Amino acid sequence: MRLKTGDTVLVISGKWKGKKGKVIKALRQSESVLVEGVNLVKKHQKPTQKLQQGGIIEREAPIRACKVMLVCGNCGKPTRVGVRLLEGAKKVRFCKKCGEVIDK
Ligand SMILES: [Zn+2]
């Protein structure tokens, strides 16, 4: 999986296709991500001290990483991510469209 928290991604398939958002959390084990404003599901919230009313709230549910594409910060296009090895065995991700390194 080549997505990280803070990446901007575009949903490319499913119900949320075309929606763009920021990765809130990358879940490596399940190869999925939580994206801000994407894949919202209604959840029943029990009343707590903070939220005395309880009721139904909307929360992001994880979406499979294969359903989203990273949006390159340089060229602004949804792109596949390549990985390049730098000196000292450091790995960086790069945009396959414009070649720009994503991790600075
Ligand atoms: Zn690019």
Side-chain angles (χ1 to χ4, degrees), residues 62-78:
I63 185 168
R64 302 277 301 171
C66 60
K67 286 188 171 178
V68 301
M69 260 188 146
L70 184 83
V71 176
C72 171
N74 183 56
C75 64
K77 288 179 189 150

Side-chain angles (χ1 to χ4, degrees), residues 1 4-6 22-27 32-36:
M1 187 155 95
K4 287 183 181 174
T5 306
K22 222 173 208 176
V23 175
I24 309 166
K25 206 172 185 190
L27 308 154
S32 52
V33 285
L34 278 178
V35 185
E36 206 173 58

